[in-house]
Amino acid sequence: MPGSLIKISEATGTGSAAELKVTGIDSTYEVYYATMLILPSTDDKDVGLRVTKSGTAQTDSKYNSSDVGLREGASFQDNETQDQATMYLFSALGTTGAEMMMAQVYLFNFADSSEYSYITYRTCALQKTPELLGYTGSLFHEVASASDGISLALESADNFSTSSKIVLYGLAK
Amino acid sequence: MATLEELTVETTAEIEARKPLKANVNGVDRDFTDEEYAQVITDVANSKYEKQEYGYKSSRSGAYGSIGDQLDMQYHDLVDDTTTWKDHVAKVKSDNPKP
């Protein structure tokens, strides 16, 4: 159906999973889209994202990003990283429902074997302080080969709470 | 301050105590592979090291407050001959010291 979000897969926190992974990206759609609701099991945890190739999270130091952190009670932050082994979507996430990280990401060029994998993202949450904090930015994985999904992990290999979920969609034209 | 090697030893013990770790892949839980255990130990140890060495930067960034609030402090310091802003910055730095 034209102009639709086509659900591809989803991963959910079961209380015992330290990694959430959704795969299934191929050349069916030009652009893929994912929504995320993320809540750690213990307080003050960063959320890391990696792309997957053939289902395996890529741990090479090839992640580059730039974003703006929009804070409720402080100045905006300009952030940039180069050649990182993971890409952090959020920092110091708390454990209450109000502190859940909500995110939407668009995934570009993932199925293209001769291009880097690009992601644009928007996240927001109440940080542990608590303070409303949102990030808007982009990243790319600097390896020219096809990617088939994304993987999330929490600082300290913390388990995702049962409220956590990633849903992957294809954007049908 | 712990070295990266010391943090790796500490992290290995922590992960061993938590086994089995699981990944939820497309809705199905499965145990970590040996490669994933090795990687998570590397990731967690590196994260601890980064926070130990550079965590003060993000802590300070949030504690300084907005530029507007800081400019207001500076204005009142000029008008009232006080040192509120300088004291504020010094406190943020001392509360979040470099390692």
Side-chain angles (χ1 to χ4, degrees):
Chain A
M1 179 186 298
S4 299
L5 287 175
I6 309 299
K7 185 176 176 181
I8 307 297
S9 59
E10 73 174 46
T12 56
T14 55
S16 59
E19 180 185 14
L20 297 184
K21 188 187 294 183
V22 285
T23 63
I25 294 175
D26 56 22
S27 60
T28 304
Y29 304 103
E30 286 186 6
V31 180
Y32 287 78
Y33 173 75
T35 58
M36 302 174 186
L37 299 171
I38 300 300
L39 193 63
S41 295
T42 54
D43 196 28
D44 191 10
K45 293 290 177 275
D46 298 346
V47 184
L49 177 148
R50 286 170 166 146
V51 304
T52 67
K53 296 182 187 295
S54 301
T56 301
Q58 299 301 291
T59 59
D60 46 10
S61 297
K62 294 291 186 180
Y63 295 92
N64 303 272
S65 71
S66 63
D67 65 37
V68 177
L70 307 168
R71 286 182 177 277
E72 173 189 5
S75 301
F76 296 168
Q77 294 175 307
D78 295 325
N79 307 300
E80 67 284 325
T81 62
Q82 290 88 35
D83 302 328
Q84 298 298 301
T86 191
M87 165 60 208
Y88 288 102
L89 285 181
F90 213 89
S91 60
L93 203 60
T95 53
T96 70
E99 293 173 310
M100 173 180 279
M101 183 195 83
M102 293 153 280
Q104 53 175 324
V105 301
Y106 287 90
L107 313 172
F108 299 91
N109 287 350
F110 268 50
D112 193 325
S113 60
S114 59
E115 291 280 354
Y116 302 151
S117 299
Y118 288 84
I119 298 177
T120 62
Y121 56 90
R122 290 179 178 175
T123 64
C124 75
L126 286 179
Q127 219 177 11
K128 56 168 183 159
T129 353
E131 173 187 63
L132 180 65
L133 173 60
Y135 291 100
T136 183
S138 58
L139 72 97
F140 71 101
H141 183 240
E142 196 176 357
V143 176
S145 63
S147 304
D148 65 353
I150 52 176
S151 163
L152 291 188
L154 295 168
E155 179 187 354
S156 306
D158 192 40
N159 288 334
F160 290 89
S161 80
T162 55
S163 304
S164 300
K165 180 188 284 190
I166 310 175
V167 185
L168 176 67
Y169 303 90
L171 278 176
K173 287 189 279 189
Chain B
M1 307 299 290
T3 65
L4 180 57
E5 290 72 23
E6 290 169 338
L7 291 171
T8 300
V9 171
E10 174 187 283
T11 301
T12 301
E14 291 170 357
I15 295 298
E16 284 293 326
R18 286 185 51 197
K19 281 185 173 180
L21 293 182
K22 295 183 180 299
N24 186 273
V25 183
N26 296 328
V28 178
D29 268 2
R30 62 155 174 78
D31 288 351
F32 267 34
T33 63
D34 290 343
E35 291 76 17
E36 287 170 334
Y37 276 117
Q39 186 61 48
V40 78
I41 289 168
T42 299
D43 289 344
V44 173
N46 284 340
S47 173
K48 287 178 179 178
Y49 186 74
E50 291 286 318
K51 290 223 164 183
Q52 171 186 279
E53 296 297 311
Y54 308 111
Y56 73 94
K57 290 184 178 179
S58 59
S59 299
R60 286 182 180 182
S61 176
Y64 281 133
S66 72
I67 295 291
D69 287 347
Q70 292 189 66
L71 287 172
D72 190 57
M73 289 181 205
Q74 292 182 0
Y75 167 76
H76 284 289
D77 283 347
L78 285 171
V79 170
D80 303 330
D81 196 23
T82 56
T83 60
T84 305
W85 178 74
K86 189 173 74 171
D87 296 343
H88 167 68
V89 171
K91 185 172 188 313
V92 169
K93 289 180 182 294
S94 64
D95 286 349
N96 303 282
K98 284 184 182 180

